[in-house]
Amino acid sequence: KIQWNKKAQMLLWNQIEGLACETTDSTFLGQTLKTRHRLTLFLISGNLIQIDERLKDLPDLAERIKAKLHPHLLPKMRSAFNNGETLRFGPIRVHKQAIHVREQAIPWEQVSRLNVSSGKLVINSASKFALRIPVGKIPNIELLIQILQEGVNP
């Protein structure tokens, strides 16, 4: 049961298709003043549920949800990707030939580097431009990275 906006709602595991986590540090003169956490649940219905640090132990909750959800999602995603299907991770779509960010397609042989830095997924291409997508907008980023490490051979 998850409660937000003074309402309680029961969610079943099969209603959740993904989650994204964001951690933001507020700093002053190099000192961290406050760390904020936000969790976004992506539901099969297309709705989003955003939960912030007002919910106690939010990072622990996120890890517990991932531990339940990822083993269920990964085999399906892996199979679909290996069968040539396109996988969607929020604003990102991937298949064996390319990665699509919003409306821009980049063939894998043009991707020179893909990493997470400062809260963003950074995609560098051979044409010297870099796309940066906030990790909080990408559901199941850990699964995206794992599938790409296993299955992309440009």
Side-chain angles (χ1 to χ4, degrees), residues 29-44:
L29 299 174
Q31 298 293 317
T32 299
L33 302 176
K34 182 171 178 129
T35 299
R36 296 173 191 238
H37 303 283
R38 187 172 69 178
L39 169 68
T40 303
L41 296 176
F42 294 77
L43 305 182
I44 297 286

Side-chain angles (χ1 to χ4, degrees), residues 1 16 22 36 41 44 56 68 74 78 84 140 151:
K1 182 168 93 169
I16 304 170
E22 261 182 301
R36 296 173 191 238
L41 296 176
I44 297 286
K56 188 178 178 196
K68 262 312 212 192
L74 183 59
R78 185 183 284 136
N140 306 315

Side-chain angles (χ1 to χ4, degrees), residues 73-143:
L73 293 176
L74 183 59
K76 292 178 183 179
M77 289 179 170
R78 185 183 284 136
S79 175
F81 185 80
N82 290 335
N83 288 327
E85 295 178 38
T86 299
L87 300 181
R88 183 177 199 92
F89 296 87
I92 298 173
R93 295 183 324 276
V94 296
H95 56 80
K96 290 262 186 199
Q97 288 75 38
I99 184 168
H100 298 256
V101 180
R102 298 173 195 94
E103 300 303 317
Q104 186 169 1
I106 307 166
W108 288 116
E109 54 272 359
Q110 291 182 17
V111 174
S112 59
R113 185 174 180 188
L114 189 141
N115 69 309
V116 176
S117 176
S118 300
K120 294 182 175 39
L121 177 68
V122 181
I123 304 166
N124 296 94
S125 78
S127 60
K128 304 293 186 236
F129 69 88
L131 295 173
R132 291 173 176 79
I133 306 98
V135 296
K137 305 283 185 206
I138 306 170
N140 306 315
I141 190 167
E142 296 92 342
L143 299 181

Side-chain angles (χ1 to χ4, degrees), residues 37-39 51-53 55-63:
H37 303 283
R38 187 172 69 178
L39 169 68
I51 306 167
D52 62 26
E53 71 273 351
L55 185 64
K56 188 178 178 196
D57 298 325
L58 188 59
D60 182 55
L61 174 63
E63 291 307 312

